[in-house]
Amino acid sequence: MMKRLMIVTTLGLLATLPAIASDRDDDVARTDRATQVFREIMNTPDHGIPHGLLNRAKCIAIIPGDKKFAFVFGGNFGRGVATCRTPEGWSAPMFLAVEGGSVGYQIGGSSTDLVMLFMNDRALQSLLGDKFKLGGDASVAAGPVGRDAAADTDVRLTAEILTYSRSKGIFAGVSLDGTVVQADKSGDRSMYGHDVDRHEILSGKVAVPASAQQLMHELDQYVQEAKVNH
């Protein structure tokens, strides 16, 4: 009986290993794609996120488009990462998902990348919650575009979250009013283990994994550039 139990337990563990590895591989791929999206957006002359806004943002979330989802908003969902400022630099990435909203993926298999800037502590608290709705639980506005553009004063002072999208190479501020943002706890567990929560991740208590170092480098590079230019 004991021998049979050990065999069953071993087989069960072996069956779960591919799923765990796949989840972690997905986390790494998602982080890599988010890094690529941010780099491409900020390398577009005069069409990136304004330096001043990037320098003031408490957190940034990047949701890379996925061509597998033809209609991610209004039925399916997109997944990405978020990172926040800490006294030691950017935090390890927290994994998140978005769904719903008024902006749909382009018909014909094209995908849309999303970027969200969390501009104040209230926006940060929304990100730490299990789920929140843009425009409902947190005020949202289309972010201004242009690396050296001056953001509208009213937008800067009132919007807690500024949102952008990139589809077919065009990067623009877009209102994602109604979009639901929620923590992807399975992604966090796959990367960091079951004993780590998102508060610890975003506060800087969790070490940045090797797979996210390039993303941190890209963020640091453009934040430093923003400081130099302002």
Side-chain angles (χ1 to χ4, degrees), residues 64-79:
D66 191 331
K67 292 184 178 180
K68 291 184 295 183
F69 302 112
F71 300 97
V72 170
F73 295 98
N76 296 304
F77 63 93
R79 298 183 299 166

Side-chain angles (χ1 to χ4, degrees), residues 30-52:
R30 208 187 320 181
T31 305
D32 289 344
R33 179 65 182 134
T35 304
Q36 179 183 353
V37 166
F38 182 75
R39 181 191 303 121
E40 291 173 353
I41 287 171
M42 296 306 294
N43 280 343
T44 304
D46 301 323
H47 288 89
I49 299 169
H51 285 109

Side-chain angles (χ1 to χ4, degrees), residues 49-57 117 119 143-144 151 156 162 164:
I49 299 169
H51 285 109
L53 290 180
L54 186 60
N55 197 30
R56 285 190 294 274
L117 299 184
M119 301 306 298
R156 286 200 319 234
L162 300 176
Y164 299 85

Side-chain angles (χ1 to χ4, degrees), residues 70-91:
F71 300 97
V72 170
F73 295 98
N76 296 304
F77 63 93
R79 298 183 299 166
V81 300
T83 179
C84 295
R85 295 178 187 275
T86 74
E88 288 75 36
W90 293 96
S91 72

Side-chain angles (χ1 to χ4, degrees), residues 38 60 83 90 215-224:
F38 182 75
I60 183 170
T83 179
W90 293 96
L215 176 59
M216 304 302 108
H217 173 75
E218 294 290 335
L219 290 169
D220 282 338
Q221 175 182 337
Y222 288 105
V223 167
Q224 290 302 321

Side-chain angles (χ1 to χ4, degrees), residues 14-170:
L14 290 174
T16 61
L17 285 177
I20 294 173
S22 176
D23 286 342
R24 186 177 178 87
D25 288 345
D26 178 69
D27 284 354
V28 172
R30 208 187 320 181
T31 305
D32 289 344
R33 179 65 182 134
T35 304
Q36 179 183 353
V37 166
F38 182 75
R39 181 191 303 121
E40 291 173 353
I41 287 171
M42 296 306 294
N43 280 343
T44 304
D46 301 323
H47 288 89
I49 299 169
H51 285 109
L53 290 180
L54 186 60
N55 197 30
R56 285 190 294 274
K58 297 281 187 178
C59 309
I60 183 170
I62 306 168
I63 298 89
D66 191 331
K67 292 184 178 180
K68 291 184 295 183
F69 302 112
F71 300 97
V72 170
F73 295 98
N76 296 304
F77 63 93
R79 298 183 299 166
V81 300
T83 179
C84 295
R85 295 178 187 275
T86 74
E88 288 75 36
W90 293 96
S91 72
M94 180 189 84
F95 296 89
L96 51 76
V98 297
E99 60 181 330
S102 59
V103 177
Y105 271 46
Q106 299 294 317
I107 297 173
S110 178
S111 62
T112 301
D113 305 311
L114 302 178
V115 178
M116 294 182 282
L117 299 184
F118 295 76
M119 301 306 298
N120 55 32
D121 289 333
R122 179 177 168 82
L124 170 59
Q125 290 305 311
S126 296
L127 187 60
L128 289 172
D130 284 339
K131 180 188 295 187
F132 67 95
K133 180 182 289 187
L134 297 178
D137 302 313
S139 62
V140 61
V145 173
R147 296 270 294 280
D148 297 315
D152 180 81
T153 301
D154 290 339
V155 170
R156 286 200 319 234
L157 292 178
T158 61
E160 296 166 355
I161 301 173
L162 300 176
T163 52
Y164 299 85
S165 73
R166 185 182 66 161
S167 181
K168 297 183 178 180
I170 300 174

